[in-house]
Amino acid sequence: METLTTKQKIFNFPLTKIILGLIACLLIINIGQFFAGKLLLQTSLDKDYRNLIKGIIVCGLALISYIDFFKYYEKRTITELAVKGLARNLIIGILIGVVLQSLTILVIYLNGDYEILSVNPFSFIIIPLTIAFTAAIIEEILVRGILFRIMEEKLGSYFALIISALIFGALHLVNEHSTLLSALCITIEAGLLLGAAFIYTRNLWFPIAIHFAWNFMQSGIFGAITSGNAKTNSLLISKIQGSEFITGGDFGPEGSVQAVIFCSAASIILLALSRKENKIIKPYWKK
């Protein structure tokens, strides 16, 4: 058996991997965002299209930085971003996100708290589309690709899932109109669901697709607030007003009880399937 040096032990330690991975990816993302923004300002493009192009560039850099860094660091093929099965993961993931968000809004509508005031031109979806796919790709790479995946290697699927979900929920506390309750909602409905999606497929494209569709349908189509952030342009101009228990209040539908229930059900199904197919990783002390 090969004996590892102190240096090798330090660099193989999960926390070291997580910290260096986050630094490398965030550094490339922020530098790319800065220079892409500066260059695009020199063009005559409309602001919305500049942001769209910048979002595509930044997402590309996020993917490249993750693939190159961990390919070199862990000396392996980055199968979690493989092209094989890409269409299937994206299509099924998007369908899940669309259905879950639509069900959430449907409950608000049936309760008499959702009203469509008017319909905007199709071009109004550009901003929420950009925000949705940028947030989905970057957040899934950082949280599921780096944080969860590396923790799972030592702590196992369940412990890594709980810890990463709590961290994901806590990160939303900085958002406007966020509360401990809304952060807990995010922990359960997004942190657990997206982690479970990764466990089941072992592929980041699946949680990326769910994350994107959930956010885009919420803000880009239904005209609701996403995670307490200010409203963006949307296809539908809507009015959501009523019990915070059902509408989520100023935080948006993500803070509603039905969002937690629907997403929890999806998480349980994915985890049950993962367990049935022996995709759950045991913690190192049980191996």
Side-chain angles (χ1 to χ4, degrees):
M1 182 180 290
E2 182 182 356
T3 303
L4 297 177
T5 65
T6 301
K7 182 180 178 181
Q8 288 174 321
K9 288 179 180 178
I10 291 172
F11 278 92
N12 285 332
F13 190 63
L15 185 59
T16 307
K17 283 186 184 182
I18 290 171
I19 292 173
L20 293 179
L22 290 174
I23 290 173
C25 290
L26 285 170
L27 188 63
I28 296 298
I29 290 169
N30 284 310
I31 290 174
Q33 187 174 30
F34 175 79
F35 282 107
K38 290 289 185 182
L39 289 172
L40 287 167
L41 278 175
Q42 308 306 312
T43 70
S44 58
L45 291 171
D46 179 78
K47 181 181 177 182
D48 289 354
Y49 289 102
R50 290 203 307 268
N51 286 332
L52 176 61
I53 294 171
K54 183 169 72 172
I56 293 171
I57 292 171
V58 169
C59 287
L61 290 172
L63 292 167
I64 291 169
S65 63
Y66 176 86
I67 292 170
D68 286 347
F69 180 82
F70 284 105
K71 185 177 181 180
Y72 171 78
Y73 196 111
E74 298 178 329
K75 295 178 175 58
R76 66 181 179 88
T77 302
I78 310 302
T79 55
E80 61 269 26
L81 283 171
V83 176
K84 183 179 179 181
L86 174 63
R88 179 177 180 273
N89 283 316
L90 290 180
I91 291 170
I92 296 175
I94 287 172
L95 285 174
I96 290 172
V98 168
V99 169
L100 290 174
Q101 184 58 234
S102 298
L103 287 172
T104 299
I105 296 295
L106 178 61
V107 172
I108 300 174
Y109 172 76
L110 292 175
N111 199 53
D113 298 328
Y114 182 87
E115 181 184 358
I116 297 174
L117 302 178
S118 62
V119 180
N120 279 321
F122 198 70
S123 61
F124 275 56
I125 70 169
I126 293 175
I127 291 177
L129 178 72
T130 304
I131 294 172
F133 76 71
T134 303
I137 290 175
I138 293 175
E139 290 180 14
E140 292 312 304
I141 283 176
L142 298 178
V143 181
R144 255 59 64 176
I146 298 177
L147 189 64
F148 170 77
R149 180 184 61 81
I150 295 173
M151 282 196 298
E152 187 188 33
E153 294 173 2
K154 287 291 184 182
L155 301 180
S157 299
Y158 293 132
F159 283 107
L161 183 60
I162 292 169
I163 295 170
S164 64
L166 286 169
I167 291 173
F168 190 65
L171 290 172
H172 286 75
L173 282 170
V174 300
N175 292 8
E176 193 175 358
H177 306 302
S178 180
T179 64
L180 285 174
L181 182 59
S182 65
L184 181 61
C185 290
I186 292 291
T187 296
I188 297 170
E189 69 198 26
L192 294 182
L193 173 61
L194 298 171
F198 178 75
I199 291 172
Y200 181 62
T201 59
R202 295 294 159 187
N203 191 295
L204 283 170
W205 293 117
F206 190 48
I208 284 172
I210 296 173
H211 195 155
F212 160 76
W214 172 272
N215 281 359
F216 177 64
M217 290 298 294
Q218 185 168 232
S219 59
I221 302 300
F222 294 122
I225 295 169
T226 297
S227 303
N229 294 306
K231 272 192 176 184
T232 64
N233 288 341
S234 57
L235 185 62
L236 303 177
I237 297 179
S238 61
K239 180 181 179 182
I240 301 177
Q241 190 172 7
S243 167
E244 288 190 20
F245 190 69
I246 299 297
T247 66
D250 291 333
F251 191 74
E254 289 172 335
S256 67
V257 64
Q258 71 272 15
V260 173
I261 292 172
F262 292 139
C263 292
S264 294
S267 300
I268 292 169
I269 292 170
L270 287 172
L271 289 173
L273 290 172
S274 298
R275 186 176 179 84
K276 182 179 179 181
E277 297 177 23
N278 296 315
K279 294 179 178 179
I280 301 296
I281 294 175
K282 295 179 180 179
Y284 74 91
W285 61 85
K286 286 190 176 182
K287 292 180 180 179

